[in-house]
Amino acid sequence: MKKKDAKHRIEQLRLELERHNRNYYVLNSPEITDFQYDLLMLELQELEKMFPEFALKDSPAVNVGSDLSSKDHFEQFPHKYPMLSLSNTYNIGELEDFSNRISKGTDRPFTLTCELKFDGTAICLTYKAGKLFRALTRGDGTVGDDVTRNVLQIPSIPKQLAEGSDFPDEFEIRGEIYMPYKAFDKLNHQRELDEEQPFANPRNAASGSLKLQDPKLVKERGLECTLYHVLCEKAIAPTHIETLQKAKEWGLPVSGHFKECSTVEEVESFITFWDTERKKLPFATDGIVVKVNQLAIQTSLGYTAKSPRWATAYKFKPEEASTKLLSLDYQVGRTGAVTPVANLEPVQLSGTKVKRASLHNADQIQLMDIHIGDYVFVEKGGEIIPKITRVDINRRGFDIVPVEFPQNCPVCGTPLVKDEDEAKHFCPNRDECPPQIKGKFIHFIGRKAMDINAGEATIEQLYGKGYIKQLSDLYKLTEVQLLTLDKWKEKSVANFLKSLEESKKVPFHRLLFAIGIRHIGETTAKNIAQHFKTMDAIAAATREELLAIEEVGEKLADSIIGYFSNPEHKKVIGELKEYGLQMELDNTDKPIESEILKGMTIVISGNFTISRDDMKSLIEAHSGKVGSSISGNTTYMVAGEKCGPSKLSKAEKLGVKVIGEEEFMNMLKN
Ligand code: IVH
């Protein structure tokens, strides 16, 4: 490869890997399989080795990806010892090289331990005087997020070690927090019912759950933990296995599936055994970790910037199957993004019959040179929809037809557009394209928007009947119309109308978010509302005035200007105004003071030293939601003087924590 090409490819790979790191560690929503990621990483590492003049200190090739959240969400603490990753291979033959490297690095005899590689999210627990002192995520390897409050909700992690056992006064133990398949299926089923995006796999679900703001919700997620690495100033035992044995005696959860091996052949047979056997385990594993068992040799081998030299991971190749691509469908999502979905000749894969697979975008089709009629490999790495990874070129026949990506929206016929910096094609017809119209309503009624008591199915029904097209049509709905809907009775109609009525009181910033101006998120909506105070002022703002707000970039400014220059939108806003929706900031629309109560629903009852309205504003100012009645979703009930006894007993029955005004105020101070 020429120097110039290598430089270009290295830069491309770095950017791509940084994006995938963010998708994986921060957003918990990977776009590619681990295998594809590891191939890109290997390519970058080899290129940086061949062209060291282009190797940078901050390259993803030599640094661990970061899972750090915003400092507002979790306090961050430095790791006492860096929290690194593992080198890996998919080639069993390379374990021989690993063992040879160790032999070269030491004169002393050594054995290798093999253990399961749990597919979860890394955790570092510190115990002091036998008590769980702190739990940190890996973060960027140097600093981690303090998730102690959440970890305390995981039953398999002891808060207190077994009395009378010989644990050191202070030590760290690291391991993996994972979500067993059963809990994962339950969670995703619930998310589908709640019309929330399901998690792609148990790993993402585990790391997403560990970062929840409400520890009570963490408890419901059914997380488990296994620990595999003890760190202490003074060695606990001479070997890794004996150290873990000790940890087990102290009451810590340590995996029983391990083996001490004297030869690489033994390591290989452990791997072969578990490659099949792991499918029977109730949780996900993605490989076998091989470590030097003697701790003194581990110490002398040491670490690279990214991983220990005394350990490596053999990773199982994801299960794949080759099958024929029969046709492609093009789905238009709520945002107008067009996704190709493959129809396949049914094939058996990881215990299920696969008929459909996702392809993401046109670039991927081109990159893989996929034709209709090709045999393609489908892979399922725990994801819900399997993915096509490549063409099975050896089975290519003569009856193949090139894929022609549609130029027009398959639903409404509008010419598709593709922004340079986005991989997907979009249908720009946001106001007329049916899936996008429905998407607009689903966004509008959402909990963080107008919070209208309805779901996707209701929108489908109303749209199907032709009752709604513009957002303002919702407020024109009549009882008679609603009673014509399948399975709707007086009570559901009354509830829906009441909820529509209540939505008219939703604060201005949420309405601004709800109307679905592209690129306006929840927080941006708040800031823009605070700045301009009224909808009319926003509609009249110039590009320069919009750009003067810190969070507003060019894309968003153009999007706002574009929205309000459309006469249809002006008409809808005018109608919403007539129906009495909040078009300007009012007194209760106070600036956000903190996010301490984010994700919490708080019910207040009784009298306080401040008025009930001030109490509600206080909750909202700290990003909490005020609940009207106690339910399973209530985080706390704040009980004042003369608090309602029925509310108290309901809180007790549902296990909702009841706190007093003073405790509540202290919470805000902390
Ligand atoms: S040992 C110094 N053992 O896999 C590194 N890691 O892909 C110590 N993992 O970062 C790690 N199971 O989060 C080790 N039995 C096991 C493991 C394991 C899962 C995770 C760990 C690591 C990642 C590397």
Side-chain angles (χ1 to χ4, degrees), residues 84-86 115-118 122 138 176 228 289 291 308:
L84 303 177
S85 183
L86 283 173
E115 53 199 72
L116 297 181
K117 183 165 169 355
F118 290 79
R138 179 160 66 185
E176 210 78 358
Y228 45 63
V289 182
K291 298 174 183 168

Side-chain angles (χ1 to χ4, degrees), residues 502-666:
E502 274 172 8
S503 76
K504 293 180 181 172
K505 293 183 225 140
V506 162
F508 169 49
H509 68 84
R510 274 176 46 196
L511 173 65
L512 181 61
F513 168 63
I515 56 177
I517 301 175
R518 205 158 176 207
H519 307 302
I520 289 204
E522 236 184 307
T523 324
T524 326
K526 253 178 217 162
N527 293 336
I528 298 176
Q530 281 295 334
H531 185 93
F532 287 102
K533 313 260 188 297
T534 71
M535 192 70 95
D536 289 342
I538 300 172
T542 63
R543 196 166 187 272
E544 287 64 40
E545 283 168 343
L546 288 164
L547 286 172
I549 305 180
E550 205 184 322
E551 273 204 34
V552 180
E554 301 199 345
K555 239 184 180 172
L556 177 53
D558 290 340
S559 168
I560 296 174
I561 303 253
Y563 182 89
F564 287 104
S565 57
N566 182 332
E568 275 299 316
H569 293 158
K570 277 194 191 145
K571 191 171 151 234
V572 172
I573 298 288
E575 288 184 359
L576 291 176
K577 200 182 212 170
E578 271 176 35
Y579 288 116
L581 277 79
Q582 303 302 309
M583 294 288 164
E584 51 193 64
L585 219 60
D586 77 359
N587 295 340
T588 54
D589 235 0
K590 295 238 177 69
I592 296 303
E593 282 177 36
S594 87
E595 294 200 329
I596 288 179
L597 306 178
K598 196 169 175 182
M600 302 188 192
T601 303
I602 295 173
V603 173
I604 59 169
S605 177
N607 300 325
F608 305 95
T609 50
I610 55 175
S611 77
R612 285 172 59 83
D613 277 345
D614 284 350
M615 193 72 176
K616 284 183 188 166
S617 307
L618 201 59
I619 294 172
E620 279 162 1
H622 290 277
S623 311
K625 197 174 149 191
V626 181
S628 53
S629 59
I630 306 273
S631 75
N633 289 331
T634 312
T635 322
Y636 292 110
M637 168 170 152
V638 188
E641 235 183 85
K642 296 199 190 135
C643 160
S646 63
K647 270 194 178 162
L648 263 180
S649 69
K650 191 158 181 205
E652 199 175 76
K653 211 163 103 198
L654 293 175
V656 172
K657 192 163 180 212
V658 179
I659 54 176
E661 184 179 2
E662 201 183 348
E663 197 178 341
F664 176 69
M665 294 297 176
N666 281 337

Side-chain angles (χ1 to χ4, degrees), residues 130-188:
K131 266 206 176 75
L132 177 61
F133 170 73
R134 183 172 289 151
L136 294 180
T137 66
R138 179 160 66 185
D140 62 4
T142 314
V143 174
D145 280 331
D146 181 352
V147 288
T148 316
R149 270 170 17 112
N150 287 349
V151 160
L152 288 171
Q153 304 299 329
I154 302 173
S156 54
I157 299 180
K159 284 85 209 155
Q160 170 73 54
L161 299 181
E163 291 288 330
S165 51
D166 55 350
F167 47 78
D169 196 45
E170 181 174 339
F171 68 97
E172 280 188 17
I173 186 158
R174 294 176 178 179
E176 210 78 358
I177 285 181
Y178 62 93
M179 187 178 283
Y181 289 126
K182 216 168 148 188
F184 172 69
D185 291 342
K186 187 175 153 218
L187 172 64
N188 265 356

